[in-house]
Amino acid sequence: GQQLNQSPQSMFIQEGEDVSMNCTSSSIFNTWLWYKQDPGEGPVLLIALYKAGELTSNGRLTAQFGITRKDSFLNISASIPSDVGIYFCAGTISSGSARQLTFGSGTQLTVLP
Amino acid sequence: EAQVTQNPRYLITVTGKKLTVTCSQNMNHEYMSWYRQDPGLGLRQIYYSMNVEVTDKGDVPEGYKVSRKEKRNFPLILESPSPNQTSLYFCASSFNGQPQHFGDGTRLSIL
């Protein structure tokens, strides 16, 4: 079953504001991935994290692999209208198969002009 | 262009009528998987395959079958669909299991 808690479930922000969302788990993860899903499309990989403490950026996006290996966060700076979508965290649990991804339930982001 | 292609994109059918959703990738990826997406539940893995003729159950395999006879194809089979299998389905592929590249989804409605 699902073992990731993603929050918040939804966010409404003004264009230009920064955004932060996170995922936590009671299990230790070996990898953390962040995806974005636009309506009618499949999830697209934004950032992949492979080591505890790793901080990685992709343009205005920054994600970190928590030191405890049980959490990760995603920050979006200076939001723009095209940031609208659903953001998912995902990862592989250290006690499970390296091929099995577990997903969070998603954060629905709305950017108001 | 690197792609994961699913067909059909939309299907409305009736309970008990066998159906197959095809998935094909052109990236020579060894790993392929199927997910279903339901509101508030994120994506849940149905089955995955690490190579030809190697498949394994994910979190929600009941009511589904898969096969991997060729590296590029990984069809999802619903032998006797039921209304609780109404969902949005995604196929994904990768070289080693992650990160995974997703298709555009198949929306199934089982009446």
Side-chain angles (χ1 to χ4, degrees):
Chain A
Q2 193 165 291
Q3 301 178 50
L4 277 182
N5 297 309
Q6 185 171 351
S7 65
Q9 281 190 321
S10 62
M11 302 181 74
F12 292 81
I13 62 169
Q14 294 292 140
E15 184 176 354
E17 288 184 349
D18 297 345
V19 173
S20 185
M21 58 192 79
N22 69 83
C23 274
T24 61
S25 174
S26 57
S27 303
I28 292 174
F29 276 64
N30 284 336
T31 62
W32 283 99
L33 308 170
W34 285 93
Y35 287 87
K36 182 191 178 204
Q37 185 179 26
D38 291 324
E41 298 182 14
V44 174
L45 181 70
L46 299 173
I47 294 178
L49 303 160
Y50 298 103
K51 291 193 297 189
E54 182 178 353
L55 184 72
T56 297
S57 292
N58 178 6
R60 293 178 295 106
L61 279 61
T62 302
Q64 184 160 28
F65 192 140
I67 291 290
T68 65
R69 296 171 63 194
K70 294 182 177 181
D71 61 343
S72 177
F73 72 76
L74 175 71
N75 284 344
I76 305 173
S77 63
S79 58
I80 59 178
S82 62
D83 290 335
V84 167
I86 304 176
Y87 291 80
F88 290 100
C89 62
T92 53
I93 298 173
S94 65
S95 59
S97 164
R99 307 296 189 257
Q100 220 172 337
L101 264 188
T102 299
F103 277 80
S105 57
T107 295
Q108 173 75 60
L109 178 64
T110 302
V111 179
L112 304 171
Chain B
E1 181 188 348
Q3 273 188 334
V4 177
T5 304
Q6 297 178 224
N7 279 295
R9 291 292 312 277
Y10 305 91
L11 178 63
I12 301 174
T13 187
V14 295
T15 298
K17 186 176 180 182
K18 180 180 178 180
L19 67 90
T20 299
V21 185
T22 63
C23 175
S24 180
Q25 50 95 2
N26 63 359
M27 296 167 278
N28 201 34
H29 284 166
E30 292 176 343
Y31 178 93
M32 297 183 76
S33 60
W34 276 103
Y35 296 83
R36 61 177 289 172
Q37 184 176 17
D38 301 290
L41 296 178
L43 283 84
R44 293 179 293 167
Q45 193 174 54
I46 303 170
Y47 268 96
Y48 63 99
S49 168
M50 289 187 278
N51 214 324
V52 175
E53 302 292 4
V54 181
T55 64
D56 207 348
K57 295 178 181 179
D59 292 323
V60 289
E62 294 79 19
Y64 304 95
K65 283 175 55 177
V66 293
S67 71
R68 188 88 182 274
K69 293 184 170 49
E70 306 164 282
K71 201 171 188 179
R72 64 183 293 124
N73 295 323
F74 190 45
L76 179 70
I77 303 154
L78 284 71
E79 293 272 4
S80 183
S82 61
N84 64 11
Q85 292 177 300
T86 292
S87 187
L88 179 59
Y89 291 84
F90 288 101
C91 179
S93 74
S94 74
F95 273 118
N96 61 0
Q98 28 104 2
Q100 297 178 24
H101 302 270
F102 287 82
D104 284 336
T106 295
R107 187 168 290 281
L108 285 184
S109 293
I110 315 294
L111 305 176

